[in-house]
Amino acid sequence: MLNRRGLIAGTAGLALAGPALIRSAHAQGSGPIRLACAGPMTGSNAAAGEQMKIGAQQVVADMNAKGGVLGRQLVLEIADDACDPRQAVSVANQLAGRRVALVAGHYCSGSSIPASKVYAEEGVLQISPASTNPKFTDDGAWNTFRVCGRDDQQGQIAGTYIAKTFPGKKVAILHDNQAYGKGLADETKKALNAGGVTEAIYAAYNPGERDYNALVSRMKSVGIEVMYIGGYYTEAGLILRQAKEQGMAVTMIGGDALVTKDFWQITGAAGEGTLMTFSSDPRQRSSAAAVVQTFKAKNIDPEGYVLYTYAAVQIWAAAAAKINSIDAKKVAEAMKASGPWPTVLGDIAFDRKGDVTVPDYVFYVWKNGDYAQI
């Protein structure tokens, strides 16, 4: 559970030890190993945070059942950044002070980027399951990795697809003016323009609002037929629902932040036909079969970033086992120098920046309350 004041809570028998004792146990290689999952456990993106938490809890439970890592049990801490950059920095400082060996997080690029600076200075390894803004690794230090793709890859696919699939249609490109949303929208715009199409509207909206009818009315007056949105599922769902309520016959296209059933809970039938980019469905991969069955036995659908978070911890554990150490810089170097690493997502290898070497973006479509790969 989340503390009201501390933002961080342990989930596996967290010891109430002082800082000196924690450092001693960590340095001597005794006692449990602390890991953290950091993301939006509250706020408008809480559904994504829940996905991450579920994946982290399951992988820790599975590893502990097999003896832990290097013969030591794992203790998981859940940290809430609410997708707020300032709160993310506060969380990062707290986690660094608790000497976590790994942070599986954050979710929002706007949180991952500033938090990564704290982790780099404090010697903490960070593997994001979800942060796609190129700056996260382009401007990152030794400690930044991600098991997802990048917005310049995702945007290239989206922009090219729109240009080829909707010739002659009036296109709007919207974004929330945040690191993820604007970054993805700009990369999509770049690819769209390279395909010979100029958008009719390029505009920002304010995240966190409930009424986007003014923006919708502007799009309606121009005759927008295709709406690309760089942003998260809550605002995307509201904008689409209000567009349909105003009678617009518009196709929405978005990115990986729409990969949650909560999107449909907002849109209802208005979400029918919405397109989005995400990696090929990890739930269908043979490498994930056993873990997916474990989730299904608990009546949990491991959608979105559940398995990405699971994989992030798997890679860290495999690298630590390979070098017989949890020293963060040594593990980071091993992650880049060795591999590919077997995970629920399949084999993953990293380049020198910490990006995956084989990104895998495809299109999905929403139908009848669920999404499926095209």
Side-chain angles (χ1 to χ4, degrees):
M1 296 178 62
L2 298 174
N3 294 331
R4 292 182 178 178
R5 298 175 61 189
L7 304 178
I8 297 174
T11 65
L14 183 61
L16 299 176
L21 182 57
I22 292 173
R23 293 190 186 97
S24 176
H26 190 275
Q28 294 173 17
S30 62
I33 301 172
R34 297 177 185 276
L35 309 181
C37 173
M41 305 303 159
T42 60
S44 61
N45 294 299
E50 181 69 13
Q51 291 175 357
M52 293 171 63
K53 181 175 72 172
I54 289 170
Q57 289 173 332
Q58 188 62 53
V59 70
V60 165
D62 290 347
M63 288 183 176
N64 280 341
K66 296 178 181 178
V69 174
L70 302 180
R72 299 164 65 182
Q73 291 287 288
L74 304 177
V75 171
L76 177 65
E77 301 195 5
I78 304 299
D80 179 25
D81 65 15
C83 271
D84 177 83
R86 293 182 181 178
Q87 189 162 318
V89 169
S90 177
V91 161
N93 278 296
Q94 292 180 59
L95 291 175
R98 296 172 78 82
R99 295 298 188 267
V100 298
L102 167 72
V103 173
H106 297 220
Y107 172 73
C108 292
S109 295
S111 292
S112 277
I113 292 170
S116 71
K117 311 306 179 186
V118 176
Y119 297 137
E121 184 175 340
E122 297 295 332
V124 178
L125 183 62
Q126 179 184 8
I127 307 177
S128 174
S131 293
T132 53
N133 189 293
K135 291 182 179 180
F136 174 57
T137 49
D138 285 354
D139 298 342
W142 60 270
N143 64 319
T144 51
F145 294 80
R146 55 178 142 213
V147 291
C148 57
R150 296 162 50 108
D151 287 335
D152 46 4
Q153 299 159 344
Q154 187 173 195
Q156 173 68 37
I157 290 174
T160 301
Y161 179 87
I162 295 170
K164 291 182 177 180
T165 309
F166 300 97
K169 301 291 186 180
K170 290 187 177 181
V171 179
I173 296 181
L174 311 177
H175 65 83
D176 61 5
N177 216 24
Q178 299 187 81
Y180 164 74
K182 187 175 188 302
L184 180 56
D186 286 348
E187 293 295 342
T188 300
K189 179 183 185 307
K190 186 187 303 182
L192 179 71
N193 297 162
V197 177
T198 299
E199 67 282 358
I201 291 178
Y202 174 83
Y205 60 87
N206 293 321
E209 295 185 357
R210 306 299 295 179
D211 185 351
Y212 293 101
N213 278 295
L215 174 61
V216 169
S217 295
R218 178 185 172 191
M219 290 193 291
K220 185 177 180 180
S221 68
V222 175
I224 294 299
E225 298 161 286
V226 179
M227 174 189 0
Y228 185 85
I229 188 157
Y232 296 99
Y233 65 90
T234 300
E235 290 80 11
L238 289 170
I239 291 171
L240 179 58
R241 190 180 73 197
Q242 290 165 22
K244 294 297 179 70
E245 288 171 349
Q246 286 199 33
M248 290 186 67
V250 62
T251 298
M252 172 174 278
I253 303 174
D256 52 306
L258 305 191
V259 185
T260 170
K261 300 294 196 318
D262 286 50
F263 172 73
W264 188 271
Q265 290 181 13
I266 296 169
T267 65
E272 188 80 10
T274 296
L275 301 170
M276 63 186 181
T277 47
F278 189 54
S279 297
S280 59
D281 195 341
R283 296 170 296 182
Q284 304 301 320
R285 300 177 191 179
S286 58
S287 54
V291 173
V292 169
Q293 286 303 314
T294 298
F295 281 116
K296 287 185 175 179
K298 298 179 178 180
N299 200 30
I300 294 173
D301 179 10
E303 67 167 340
Y305 289 100
V306 173
L307 295 176
Y308 281 79
T309 308
Y310 195 107
V313 179
Q314 280 185 305
I315 294 170
W316 166 82
K322 183 177 180 65
I323 64 172
N324 195 35
S325 172
I326 61 168
D327 180 276
K329 290 189 176 181
K330 292 179 180 178
V331 172
E333 189 57 37
M335 286 171 56
K336 293 176 181 177
S338 301
W341 305 98
T343 77
V344 291
L345 301 178
D347 291 346
I348 291 178
F350 297 100
D351 62 18
R352 297 307 298 177
K353 290 182 180 180
D355 288 319
V356 294
T357 56
V358 184
D360 178 29
Y361 282 112
V362 296
F363 266 93
Y364 289 75
V365 61
W366 278 93
K367 292 182 178 180
N368 299 319
D370 203 355
Y371 53 88
Q373 185 174 326
I374 297 176

